[in-house]
Amino acid sequence: MSDPKILASRFPADFTFGVATAAYQIEGSTRADGRKPSIWDAFSRMPGRVHNRDTGDVACDHYNRWEEDLDLIQEMGVEAYRFSIAWPRIIPDGTGRINEKGLDFYDRLIDGCKARGIKTYATLYHWDLPLSLMGEGGWTARSTAFAFQRYAKVVMARLGDRLDSVSTFNEPWCSVWLSHLYGIHAPGERNMEAALAAMHTTNLAHGLAVEAIRHVAPNVPVGLVLNAQAVIPGSDSPEDLAATERAFDFHNGAFFGPVFKGEYPASLLSALGGQMPSVEEGDLAVISQKLDWWGLNYYTPLRVSDDPSKDAVFPATLHAPFVSQTVTDIGWEVYPPAMRSCVEDLYQRYELPDCYITENGACDNTALVDGVVDDQRRLAYYADHLSVVADLARDGYPMKGYFAWSLMDNFEWAEGYRMRFGLVHVDYDTQVRTIKTSGAWYSIICKTAGAQ
Ligand code: IFM
């Protein structure tokens, strides 16, 4: 079902349609107006870390072209813009001096949204940790949680009066496991003890930031964006079913547990407790404060089977084969039913507030030919996943909004610029933006929903 008007008519009248981006992926101007390096500025310069040694130095030049980009969002009829704020622009060393010029940029951006009738959904942390904080250990150091709380306070005191929503973190799974255990994202560590420390500091930082936001900007709805893994067993064998449960606890429970239940999963504690940092009295109460909403970033399922080897480390799982034949250009299986089962499973396990799909989309590298990017595979991906979200809303799940990832092609982290997720094509030589076929289609969804 890809008729955008029919699809749009299946959503509740107050459902929000938006687009999402993140600071380091689009802004460029990494040295402008007092910004100092983040861990990604350093990481992307290390050999072998990022495809083609691409960096975010220029990216989509959004720092200079933000007005044109907001015009595009408005022209597409998109109701809300989810963007992130770069900590190294606001407090360039992580602690210490506040950089007013950095705040000024987001002031202009937010006012620009308001002037165009676009709702503002800000994320405080989308992976660009000020590099100076690595001297203390970055996310592995408890002190970083308190530095983050101060940063949250500074941002909300200046911008909170014009934000429609704020989230503390984007995808802690990535900034913890992918960055400190699997070594794929900055700072590129591969160490379980460090990863567990980063996990707890991040959870604590989330809680401390919620406290600060409630204090400084009590009217702004606060949430947390998680890329919950839609874990699916590779078979019905008892071993694979047990492996699936362990994978859930490790990938999801490590964040959902403390935030929504005030506890770490028992299986994680019993397997890895000896390597955990100290969880101080009161930490879990700070972490588990009530949220107004949570965000799900969903792209693909995680199929697992048991890893029977003796030295397998918790959660001791292997990747099970894909079931669907459809795979995006980045190699991720396309399987919309897992989006539904993931939401169902999470609402069964936890008491969760309202839900936004804060990211969903496909890597489709269809080229620009004669001024057109006819990205039918991305369009089909959106149609199938939006249909799942409409069904969830119909079935009583509190689905409040959907943000397409991404507004435009951008710096795709370790993949550099070769993987494209945009509704809008970016020519990195000329910085010309071209709305793709999927973008025009999504625009009809937004305009139809807006007229309801
Ligand atoms: O580009 C990323 C984004 O920064 C976080 N979520 C997943 C996207 C696609 O990989």
Side-chain angles (χ1 to χ4, degrees):
M1 133 104 87
S2 59
D3 181 323
K5 291 193 177 166
I6 297 178
L7 189 47
S9 71
R10 292 171 52 204
F11 285 87
D14 61 352
F15 192 87
T16 297
F17 285 96
V19 288
T21 64
Y24 190 71
Q25 293 181 271
I26 64 163
E27 286 178 358
S29 298
T30 47
R31 288 160 199 221
D33 296 334
R35 182 191 181 278
K36 284 197 178 174
S38 74
I39 54 174
W40 271 96
D41 294 273
F43 188 71
S44 57
R45 284 176 166 69
M46 294 175 187
R49 296 302 203 166
V50 172
H51 172 74
N52 195 37
R53 274 231 227 166
D54 290 343
T55 72
D57 286 2
V58 177
C60 308
D61 194 28
H62 173 76
Y63 194 78
N64 297 309
R65 294 170 194 263
W66 61 271
E67 287 178 285
E68 180 191 337
D69 293 336
L70 295 188
D71 287 345
L72 252 181
I73 296 176
Q74 184 184 36
E75 181 191 322
M76 290 169 74
V78 174
E79 185 189 343
Y81 180 36
R82 175 174 178 253
F83 56 92
S84 80
I85 294 173
W87 186 353
R89 289 198 194 282
I90 310 298
I91 306 179
D93 290 310
T95 57
R97 194 181 58 81
I98 295 165
N99 180 34
E100 290 300 326
K101 285 190 174 167
L103 285 163
D104 291 346
F105 171 68
Y106 296 104
D107 227 18
R108 293 194 292 276
L109 183 75
I110 291 167
D111 283 348
C113 286
K114 294 284 150 184
R116 291 167 179 80
I118 301 165
K119 289 189 180 146
T120 49
Y121 283 62
T123 301
L124 293 175
Y125 188 76
H126 199 127
W127 311 347
D128 40 6
L129 184 75
L131 184 60
S132 304
L133 289 179
M134 282 310 290
E136 308 294 317
W139 286 113
T140 68
R142 193 175 163 89
S143 53
T144 298
F146 294 89
F148 184 71
Q149 182 183 42
R150 173 166 175 262
Y151 157 65
K153 207 180 283 176
V154 168
V155 168
M156 296 310 284
R158 175 76 178 268
L159 308 173
D161 58 334
R162 283 153 296 145
L163 290 182
D164 291 291
S165 186
V166 67
S167 72
T168 53
F169 282 81
N170 178 73
E171 301 184 357
W173 183 92
C174 292
S175 51
V176 171
W177 301 140
L178 201 58
S179 305
H180 292 273
L181 183 63
Y182 304 136
I184 296 178
H185 277 190
E189 239 177 332
R190 289 201 175 92
N191 179 312
M192 180 61 89
E193 211 159 309
L196 291 165
M199 170 194 76
H200 187 60
T201 308
T202 299
N203 286 329
L204 181 62
H206 158 77
L208 291 169
V210 172
E211 213 171 70
I213 296 162
R214 298 265 189 236
H215 187 66
V216 180
N219 297 325
V220 184
V222 187
L224 169 64
V225 170
L226 294 148
N227 57 327
Q229 305 291 311
V231 196
I232 302 179
S235 81
D236 285 341
S237 74
E239 291 79 13
D240 283 356
L241 295 178
T244 304
E245 204 49 34
R246 292 196 302 275
F248 183 94
D249 286 348
F250 183 74
H251 297 292
N252 298 334
F255 308 103
F256 281 86
V259 172
F260 294 110
K261 265 192 181 161
E263 61 190 31
Y264 282 105
S267 67
L268 186 135
L269 290 179
S270 83
L272 302 172
Q275 291 165 270
M276 282 273 286
S278 83
V279 175
E280 294 187 9
E281 211 184 318
D283 281 2
L284 287 162
V286 169
I287 295 169
S288 60
Q289 292 164 86
K290 279 229 168 320
L291 295 179
D292 300 304
W293 61 274
W294 72 286
L296 172 65
N297 290 359
Y298 172 83
Y299 291 89
T300 187
L302 176 67
R303 299 188 186 274
V304 300
S305 57
D306 179 48
D307 181 351
S309 54
K310 273 209 195 79
D311 52 358
V313 174
F314 187 83
T317 55
L318 300 169
H319 285 287
F322 293 172
V323 164
S324 160
Q325 304 303 313
T326 316
V327 174
T328 63
D329 284 343
I330 202 170
W332 298 352
E333 179 185 1
V334 178
Y335 190 69
M339 187 187 211
R340 181 176 179 106
S341 56
C342 180
V343 171
E344 285 174 342
D345 187 26
L346 289 163
Y347 274 95
Q348 211 178 339
R349 290 176 192 252
Y350 304 101
E351 270 185 42
L352 297 175
D354 287 348
C355 178
Y356 287 81
I357 302 300
T358 32
E359 280 181 32
N360 178 235
C363 177
D364 170 348
N365 294 330
T366 300
L368 179 77
V369 179
D370 297 332
V372 174
V373 180
D374 191 22
D375 55 342
Q376 293 296 335
R377 289 172 298 144
R378 177 178 290 108
L379 193 159
Y381 182 100
Y382 275 122
D384 292 345
H385 288 80
L386 276 164
S387 179
V388 169
V389 184
D391 286 348
L392 285 165
R394 176 202 62 201
D395 297 343
Y397 288 92
M399 311 307 291
K400 298 298 172 194
Y402 177 96
F403 290 80
W405 183 272
S406 175
L407 166 65
M408 55 188 162
D409 298 334
N410 57 50
F411 175 76
E412 178 53 25
W413 307 111
E415 299 292 347
Y417 293 98
R418 69 174 161 172
M419 297 296 171
R420 294 177 179 264
F421 278 83
L423 291 169
V424 173
H425 178 271
V426 176
D427 178 326
Y428 295 112
D429 294 327
T430 61
Q431 292 295 347
V432 167
R433 277 79 161 130
T434 306
I435 297 179
K436 303 180 188 178
T437 301
S438 63
W441 179 90
Y442 189 64
S443 163
I444 300 174
I445 298 244
C446 296
K447 289 179 179 165
T448 309
Q452 277 183 146

